[in-house]
Amino acid sequence: MSDTAFDYYSHKKHHDEHEHAPAAKEPEGPPSEYEIMSRAMQELLEAKGVVTAEEIRRRMETFEEEFPYRGSRVIARAWTDPAFKQRLLKDGKAACAEMGVELEATRLIAVENTPEVHNVIVCTLCSCYPRELLGMPPTWYKSDNYRARVVREPRSALKEFGTVLPDHVALRVHDSNADMRYVVVPMRPQETKGWSDERLADILTRDILVGVTIPKIPATK
């Protein structure tokens, strides 16, 4: 199965299917336009022998089970390896390739949070997203609500995710597109000094790497 064929099918399947705020339930009722298009595309690719239903199923499982953890491993290494972090900030795609992560987009731009700047990612036109790093984009990322509000009123939008930033912190919103994707390099919590890459990766979530939340240390019992 070619990556190009799968990516086209996958993009159609997940492109703007639902328009809901975070935590909204999936709607009931007839399939949306994009669901119909994605099903038709799948049937066409299967009929031409380009893909099989089993190949699509396996690839979707890979997206759900493996891809979401790639981004956390990349950022965990950036936290512990200053030289790697500089390479990531200079050329995100090349740095990810060092870790065996091949990206479809022409460029991956890593943007670093600091005590003075917080970065957040959006795609204002559709749902462009670093799938090879983070898996499939969540429903809220594709919603009109998020795409519009994070640009117009980012502090209010982030507050709905539980992220309240001090007034002195500047907010930078980065707009992804088909050729250029972004990933946020969050600030490492001071309490994680001496942690292994594996342990650090455990506290790095998809939402953190999109910029809507910040790393938190799990409470110890």
Side-chain angles (χ1 to χ4, degrees):
M1 175 180 178
S2 71
D3 287 341
T4 300
F6 175 80
D7 288 341
Y8 184 82
Y9 161 73
S10 175
H11 185 74
K12 287 296 184 186
K13 182 176 189 303
H14 293 274
H15 172 85
D16 248 6
E17 290 178 354
H18 310 295
E19 298 178 355
H20 288 270
K25 294 182 179 180
E26 296 292 334
E28 298 180 354
S32 70
E33 175 187 357
Y34 292 107
E35 289 176 311
I36 294 172
M37 291 172 63
S38 68
R39 292 173 188 175
M41 177 58 66
Q42 178 180 351
E43 292 174 1
L44 177 62
L45 292 174
E46 290 177 8
K48 289 183 174 293
V50 178
V51 298
T52 66
E54 177 64 16
E55 286 175 325
I56 291 175
R57 183 190 66 78
R58 289 200 305 266
R59 189 65 181 271
M60 293 296 290
E61 288 180 350
T62 298
F63 265 96
E64 295 299 327
E65 296 176 5
E66 177 185 352
F67 284 24
Y69 302 102
R70 291 179 171 185
S72 61
R73 292 196 292 264
V74 168
I75 300 304
R77 180 176 174 186
W79 275 354
T80 60
D81 184 341
F84 176 78
K85 183 172 80 170
Q86 290 306 310
R87 295 196 296 275
L88 180 67
L89 295 173
K90 182 178 180 180
D91 186 337
K93 185 172 183 176
C96 288
E98 292 181 30
M99 299 187 65
V101 179
E102 298 295 336
L103 306 179
E104 288 294 325
T106 302
R107 297 180 63 194
L108 174 72
I109 300 177
V111 287
E112 185 177 15
N113 287 349
T114 71
E116 292 77 33
V117 176
H118 182 89
N119 298 280
V120 62
I121 310 306
V122 68
C123 177
T124 55
L125 293 179
C126 54
S127 58
C128 294
Y129 184 83
R131 288 172 168 80
E132 296 86 356
L133 278 180
L134 305 182
M136 291 299 180
T139 298
W140 56 260
Y141 183 85
K142 300 177 288 182
S143 70
D144 283 348
N145 180 40
Y146 175 77
R147 283 157 37 196
R149 292 189 59 232
V150 79
V151 173
R152 294 198 310 263
E153 46 183 12
R155 290 182 186 276
S156 177
L158 293 189
K159 188 175 181 180
E160 295 184 8
F161 289 89
T163 302
V164 179
L165 301 172
D167 292 339
H168 74 273
V169 175
L171 258 171
R172 293 179 181 170
V173 179
H174 303 272
D175 194 1
S176 300
N177 58 48
D179 298 319
M180 185 167 59
R181 309 294 166 84
Y182 292 88
V183 65
V184 172
V185 182
M187 291 189 292
R188 178 177 175 176
Q190 294 182 352
E191 302 90 334
T192 62
K193 184 177 181 180
W195 285 23
S196 67
D197 284 15
E198 292 76 14
R199 190 178 179 189
L200 290 171
D202 284 343
I203 67 169
L204 287 164
T205 66
R206 171 202 65 198
D207 290 2
I208 291 171
L209 305 191
V210 174
V212 294
T213 61
I214 58 177
K216 296 180 180 178
I217 307 301
T220 56
K221 296 182 179 180

